């Protein structure tokens, strides 16, 4: 995702995150715990042998210290803005970083990895952290948290934390669309169903480990991202409409799955944060949002 557009997307996301985070009688959540891909990776890939890194300029130029931090953005990510909104003074650390130790774990941890996705094969192709491994790291985190905070306080943090799950874009862009072993076997709709099935299982696993408040992002308009326009736009102006159609199809499935999970799992508060429409609106009419940007629509 281009560094120039990500702040607008994440600002829209943060408003939704803050809403679900304030559901506890307006008190702050004790921790933020994130899983997914580059949309929420705060630096785990810095510690991996992968080409998907954001540890060089211009990444980070608008962050606090104006230095790259491993975030795939020029500034703050959605999880950072959410932490700000909820009153956090510092941000939950990337789990693979040296900062993920001691009392720093009390405010959560970030397990996301750029290039990862719901499909573990997506991460393997990118040498990123597969979602299944992110869950294993979360289990490790729980044990470390109990050592730092004590079992009772750790259990409260786990239950009351805000969990953020942001994935799916890499599954399509870096796997399905370029992988004939997938796109010659499954239609985009069929592959979306496979991903949503994995998502549902992941949420059930998180629930079983104590999570009760979860926010999951929809897919953005995939056909409007700079990378997909370059790969699939064939030098045409505007967004790639068929990619956007596939993203909308996936989003319908994820919404349906969330509704089902809400009914199945007692005490679960889960919401889909629609990033498709806010980002598409920004791309369609950037001047309405005070942005000077080339007009890209279909």
């Amino acid at each position: 995702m281009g560094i120039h557009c990500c702040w607008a997307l994440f600002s829209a996301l943060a408003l939704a995150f803050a809403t679900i985070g304030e559901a506890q009688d307006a008190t702050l959540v004790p921790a933020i715990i994130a899983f997914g891909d580059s949309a929420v990776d705060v630096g785990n890939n810095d510690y991996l042998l992968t080409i998907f890194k954001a540890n060089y300029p211009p990444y980070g130029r608008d962050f606090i210290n104006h230095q790259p931090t491993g975030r795939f953005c020029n500034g703050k990510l959605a999880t950072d803005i959410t932490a700000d909104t909820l009153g956090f003074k510092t941000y939950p650390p990337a789990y693979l970083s040296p900062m993920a130790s001691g009392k720093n774990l009390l405010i959560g941890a970030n397990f996301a990895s750029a290039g990862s996705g719901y499909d573990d094969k997506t991460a393997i192709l990118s040498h990123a952290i597969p979602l299944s491994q992110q869950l294993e790291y979360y289990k490790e985190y729980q044990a470390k948290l109990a050592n730092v905070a004590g079992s009772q306080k750790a259990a409260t943090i786990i239950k009351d934390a805000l969990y953020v799950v942001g994935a799916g874009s890499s599954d399509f862009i870096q796997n399905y669309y370029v992988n004939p072993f997938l796109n010659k076997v499954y239609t985009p709709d069929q592959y979306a169903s496979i991903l949503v099935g994995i998502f549902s299982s992941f949420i059930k696993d998180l629930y079983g480990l104590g999570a009760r408040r979860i926010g999951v992002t929809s897919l953005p308009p995939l056909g409007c991202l700079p990378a997909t326009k370059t790969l699939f736009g064939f030098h045409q102006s505007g967004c790639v409409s068929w990619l956007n159609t596939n993203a909308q199809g996936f989003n319908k499935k994820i919404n349906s799955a969330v509704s089902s999970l809400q009914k199945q799992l007692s005490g679960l508060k889960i919401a889909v944060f629609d990033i498709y429409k806010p980002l598409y609106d920004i791309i369609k009419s950037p001047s309405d949002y005070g942005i000077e940007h080339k007009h890209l629509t279909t």
Side-chain angles (χ1 to χ4, degrees):
M1 183 175 294
I3 63 170
H4 299 291
C5 68
C6 66
W7 70 268
L9 163 60
F10 294 150
S11 294
L13 256 177
L15 296 176
F17 285 150
T19 300
I20 195 170
E22 292 174 346
Q24 247 192 343
D25 300 324
T27 58
L28 304 181
V29 298
I32 299 173
I33 298 170
F35 304 88
D37 58 21
S38 62
V40 288
D41 181 0
V42 297
N44 282 309
N45 276 28
D46 285 356
Y47 304 92
L48 301 177
L49 292 174
T50 175
I51 63 171
F52 293 100
K53 292 181 182 288
N55 57 354
Y56 54 90
Y59 293 114
R61 68 183 184 189
D62 298 316
F63 199 66
I64 299 166
N65 58 0
H66 306 293
Q67 297 295 320
T69 62
R71 289 166 169 80
F72 285 73
C73 189
N74 55 301
K76 296 178 180 180
L77 297 182
T79 46
D80 300 322
I81 300 171
T82 301
D84 290 341
T85 303
L86 297 177
F88 285 73
K89 303 302 181 185
T90 57
Y91 304 126
Y95 186 70
L96 296 186
S97 77
M99 295 298 294
S101 62
K103 292 185 178 180
N104 290 340
L105 298 176
L106 295 175
I107 61 168
N110 186 300
F111 304 93
S113 176
S116 189
Y118 291 117
D119 186 345
D120 275 2
K121 294 184 181 66
T122 300
I124 293 170
L125 288 169
S126 303
H127 299 283
I129 307 171
L131 192 63
S132 60
Q133 182 59 50
Q134 292 182 33
L135 191 68
E136 291 303 310
Y137 282 148
Y138 172 63
K139 294 175 184 177
E140 286 184 5
Y141 163 80
Q142 287 193 338
K144 292 178 180 179
L145 182 64
N147 288 334
V148 173
S151 298
Q152 186 172 352
K153 184 177 179 181
T156 299
I157 292 171
I158 293 299
K159 179 176 68 71
D160 294 337
L162 171 62
Y163 293 78
V164 179
V165 182
S169 295
S170 295
D171 288 311
F172 281 99
I173 298 170
Q174 292 155 220
N175 192 1
Y176 177 79
Y177 292 133
V178 297
N179 186 349
F181 293 103
L182 286 177
N183 58 47
K184 298 299 184 185
V185 177
Y186 303 106
T187 65
D189 184 74
Q190 289 171 331
Y191 187 59
S193 294
I194 292 171
L195 296 180
V196 171
I198 297 170
F199 160 78
S200 294
S201 295
F202 180 75
I203 296 300
K204 290 177 182 177
D205 288 340
L206 269 186
Y207 178 88
L209 291 168
R212 291 298 181 270
R213 183 177 291 106
I214 304 173
V216 55
T217 64
S218 70
L219 286 185
L222 294 178
C224 299
L225 302 180
T228 55
K229 284 180 57 61
T230 300
L231 289 172
F232 307 109
F234 304 108
H235 306 294
Q236 298 176 0
S237 63
C239 303
V240 184
S241 60
W242 60 271
L243 291 176
N244 284 348
T245 298
N246 291 345
Q248 290 173 310
F250 174 90
N251 290 342
K252 289 180 181 178
K253 292 178 184 291
I254 208 87
N255 274 283
S256 178
V258 162
S259 295
S260 179
L261 289 164
Q262 185 84 64
K263 295 173 183 176
Q264 293 176 38
L265 305 176
S266 176
L268 176 65
K269 295 180 179 179
I270 183 169
V272 176
F273 303 144
D274 174 26
I275 64 174
Y276 185 100
K277 187 178 187 304
L279 183 54
Y280 187 79
D281 288 346
I282 290 168
I283 295 169
K284 183 178 180 181
S285 305
S287 61
D288 291 352
Y289 299 86
I291 300 171
E292 293 184 8
H293 192 61
K294 187 177 179 180
H295 193 75
L296 298 174
T297 60
T298 55

